[in-house]
């Protein structure tokens, strides 16, 4: 059965919770947006499973003051309890009181419904522009 | 009858496909988001019909270094098979060699959409830029 509108809206909510968690140094809430064996793959490495994902969220918040993740242009497809998504990412920091746009990229995601809740099984981010000195 | 949640979600995903296609210069997929007689216009320009729109897609991707269109603040209203949408647009340009992303345009869209054979399409997009700074295009 194809995804319903309710599924699509739940997946958009998941992205919002993901961005809120990573931007507020809440590693546990960040890890909660993934399946237990979830993977985040970025250009210079990856984090797999709850502990590594929570540590990564903390490392990002620590090194990027006032970080804000913004996503848009969601294209979501799926069937039953499995979905795939592609969307844009913009990443801002507030550096000495000034907002700066530091990153642009595209996510390619695999999602799965576990016990009734949509989760990321894998997120891959392809960065097409990055201008902040720190990259985890 | 107002629009259903399904209709609104399909329209939001249409915007996603429009931006993904436009930003990689996939002129056919971009033109597919319009009706056959679709129109893209501003106060200065007007492009009408599939072949003309495809040319605009090519000119945009050639004219803006590595464009990234982000659209948000959707307000969608409609009835049955027709809809109007307002949204905000920020156009980024990403310079691969310098690794930086900058804003080249900020504005808003006023769109008219219709459902054709079960699929929502843009019939007309009217764009108004409050800010535009892209040295190379359009002159």
């Amino acid at each position: 059965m194809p995804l319903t509108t309710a599924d699509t809206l739940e997946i958009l909510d998941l992205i919002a919770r993901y961005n809120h968690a990573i931007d507020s140094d809440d590693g546990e809430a960040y890890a909660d947006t993934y399946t237990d064996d979830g993977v985040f793959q970025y250009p210079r490495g990856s984090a797999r499973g709850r502990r590594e994902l929570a540590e990564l969220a903390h490392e990002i918040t620590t090194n990027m003051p006032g970080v804000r993740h913004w996503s848009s242009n969601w294209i979501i497809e799926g069937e039953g309890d499995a979905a795939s998504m592609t969307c844009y990412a913009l990443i801002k920091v507030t550096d000495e009181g000034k907002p700066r746009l530091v990153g642009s990229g595209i996510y390619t995601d695999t999602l799965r419904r576990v016990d009734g809740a949509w989760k990321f099984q894998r997120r891959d981010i392809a960065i097409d522009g990055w201008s902040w000195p720190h990259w985890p | 009858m107002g629009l259903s949640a399904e209709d609104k979600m399909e329209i939001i995903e249409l915007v996603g496909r429009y931006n993904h296609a436009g930003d990689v210069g996939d002129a056919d997929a971009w033109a597919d988001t319009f009706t056959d007689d679709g129109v893209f216009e501003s106060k200065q320009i007007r492009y009408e019909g599939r072949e003309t729109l495809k040319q605009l897609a090519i000119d945009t991707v050639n004219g803006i270094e590595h464009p990234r269109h982000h659209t948000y603040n959707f307000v969608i209203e409609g009835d049955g098979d027709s809809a109007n949408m307002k949204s905000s647009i920020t156009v980024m340009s990403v310079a691969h060699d310098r690794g930086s992303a900058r804003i080249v345009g900020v504005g808003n869209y006023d769109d008219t959409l219709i459902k054709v054979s079960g699929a929502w399409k843009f019939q007309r997009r009217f764009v108004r830029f409050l800010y535009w700074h892209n040295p190379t295009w359009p002159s």
Side-chain angles (χ1 to χ4, degrees):
Chain A
M1 191 183 81
L3 297 185
T4 64
T5 299
D7 288 322
T8 306
L9 285 170
E10 278 170 31
I11 291 169
L12 293 185
D13 250 21
L14 178 72
I15 298 172
R17 279 186 277 118
Y18 177 101
N19 287 341
H20 279 276
I22 201 166
D23 291 345
S24 61
D25 196 12
D26 190 341
E28 293 303 315
Y30 177 71
D32 279 344
T33 65
Y34 287 89
T35 57
D36 288 342
D37 59 349
V39 176
F40 178 58
Q41 179 77 47
Y42 50 96
R44 293 189 191 165
S46 65
R48 178 185 294 269
R50 275 199 84 80
R51 190 179 54 79
E52 287 183 17
L53 288 164
E55 283 172 7
L56 177 71
H58 180 61
E59 195 185 338
I60 289 171
T61 323
T62 307
N63 290 287
M64 301 181 76
V67 65
R68 292 285 180 267
H69 287 72
W70 178 16
S71 86
S72 65
N73 296 329
W74 316 280
I75 302 177
I76 304 168
E77 283 165 353
E79 186 84 16
D81 292 334
S84 60
M85 173 166 67
T86 172
C87 65
Y88 283 25
L90 271 183
I91 299 149
K92 294 180 286 179
V93 301
T94 298
D95 185 23
E96 295 176 348
K98 292 190 184 119
R100 269 183 57 187
L101 189 58
V102 300
S104 167
I106 293 185
Y107 289 108
T108 307
D109 303 315
T110 311
L111 300 102
R112 197 155 276 288
R113 182 163 26 204
V114 181
D115 298 329
W118 284 100
K119 305 267 183 181
F120 292 112
Q121 189 168 42
R122 185 183 172 92
R123 303 207 85 184
D124 278 73
I125 188 166
I127 295 289
D128 41 48
W130 190 264
S131 61
W132 186 248
H134 177 81
W135 177 254
Chain B
M1 189 188 77
L3 295 183
S4 67
E6 279 79 2
D7 287 319
K8 291 192 182 192
M9 202 60 241
E10 280 170 26
I11 290 170
I12 290 171
E13 289 199 80
L14 178 72
V15 175
R17 289 199 307 277
Y18 172 100
N19 286 334
H20 278 270
D23 289 344
V24 295
D26 186 342
D28 275 305
W30 193 76
D32 281 345
T33 65
F34 287 90
T35 57
D36 288 341
D37 60 349
V39 173
F40 182 99
E41 67 180 322
S42 71
K43 277 187 179 164
Q44 291 83 24
I45 56 157
R46 181 181 166 89
Y47 293 81
E48 181 170 358
R50 190 174 172 86
E51 291 310 310
T52 315
L53 288 168
K54 280 169 67 176
Q55 189 57 49
L56 174 60
I58 293 162
D59 290 349
T60 303
V61 83
N62 289 336
I64 304 172
E65 184 177 13
H66 204 78
R68 289 283 180 256
H69 288 69
H70 290 260
T71 315
Y72 47 99
N73 296 335
F74 309 106
V75 180
I76 308 169
E77 289 173 343
D79 211 13
D81 290 343
S82 68
N84 294 306
M85 174 165 64
K86 289 183 183 302
S87 63
S88 307
I89 171 73
T90 295
V91 185
M92 316 290 311
S93 169
V94 181
H96 266 308
D97 52 339
R98 295 188 296 282
S100 63
R102 65 190 174 84
I103 293 173
V104 299
V106 177
N108 37 60
Y109 288 110
D110 278 295
D111 302 317
T112 311
L113 301 104
I114 57 170
K115 203 193 266 194
V116 183
S117 310
W120 285 98
K121 305 267 183 183
F122 293 113
Q123 189 170 44
R124 177 175 179 264
R125 304 208 82 185
F126 185 89
V127 69
R128 192 178 287 107
F129 278 105
L130 311 170
Y131 169 85
W132 184 266
H133 183 74
N134 183 55
T136 51
W137 180 84
S139 55

